[in-house]
Amino acid sequence: MLEIELKREGKISRLTNKTFNFDPKLKDGFYSANYFLKSNRIVKENEPNHIVTMQWFQRRDDSMLCGVDEAIALLHTFAISPETLQIEAMNDGDIINNMMPVLKVTGKYENFGFLESVIDGILARRTSVATNVREVLKVVGNTPVFSMADRQDDYHTQIGDGYATFVAGITKISTDAQGLWWGGRGMGTMPHALIQVCGGDVCKAADIYLKTYPDEKVTALIDYNNNVVVDSVLLAKHLGHKLNAVRVDTSKSLIDHYFDNKDTTSFDAHGVCKELIFALRKALDDNGFNFVKIIVSSSFTPEKIQEWTRLNVPVDMYGVGTYFVNNMTCGFTGDLVMLDGKGEAKEGRANYNNDKLKVVNYPIY
């Protein structure tokens, strides 16, 4: 059985062929590019039994590889006579560079060629997400990050994206789906909707939250009235130590009321700006609420986080969503590079060597 152990914060996830719960229509080529299906038939009917080697690579340096386990499981599940294939692969979580082959498959083309584009997509999506997460974690220092990527794309992407997020080093996620493959569970705050149901009264919303979940401390979205500093202090006075944190999620189209009648000509006061967070931290501390944490979200990128980290903006946690999953940075290509033991590839490509590739045994399950 294919077993990959990943250790993140003491967790161990064992991924097997059954982990991924593939759609059985993959076997019929439902998700494969049509010209691969045609090529498979043509080869089978006219030039069968050639042994080919296909390799997959991408063109970005310093990327974090992900999706290899899934691609191997896909081959083991849907290739014809998968036990006859030789598979060489790197590991999820490895750092890769331009033109470095991460996966090689050797066998009869008609037995696996129709899966080429599906594998391209798996590797591209998972590697892009893992790389994007890694880019954020490289600049965030010791400040925690949680993934809000559930609302940034079709819900079907959550499970695989959540796994790629985990591979890159984030275990704080917003849905159970994001943690399915590695055992994580979703976490969350008090949403805007709850405050809206309470007529914009953040204190009432906190009260009924605690009535339903009395053993939890409250983490509240605090920008509903676009008056973050005032409402945070108001809620802190109301809840005391029952308030864990406030999350600032101000829209980029708005300027918080804290800046009413203040000179903002020297900076951009829209959205979640650093000047607002400094003011919020000061107001909480001045009123005796230094224990209340500040969480920020809304359009955070590595560049913005790096600047805030350099300036010591008082943030206790970042929420990131769009940058993780709507930023495809790594596109993969599959190429045939060997034919019956001899080099055979299109101009500009070759069977590239990579000592980090390891043979993967066919699973028994």
Side-chain angles (χ1 to χ4, degrees), residues 105-119:
V105 180
T106 300
K108 295 181 182 179
Y109 178 81
E110 58 268 32
N111 285 356
F112 71 92
F114 67 100
L115 295 171
E116 177 182 337
S117 62
V118 180
I119 294 173

Side-chain angles (χ1 to χ4, degrees), residues 243-258:
L243 180 61
N244 172 59
V246 291
R247 175 156 73 92
V248 184
D249 191 55
T250 308
S251 168
K252 292 174 69 175
S253 65
L254 296 176
I255 295 177
D256 191 273
H257 290 302
Y258 171 79

Side-chain angles (χ1 to χ4, degrees), residues 88-104:
E88 301 168 89
M90 295 180 68
N91 295 316
D92 284 345
D94 284 347
I95 303 304
I96 59 174
N97 293 312
N98 175 38
M99 301 295 287
M100 178 184 291
V102 304
L103 175 67
K104 291 187 180 184

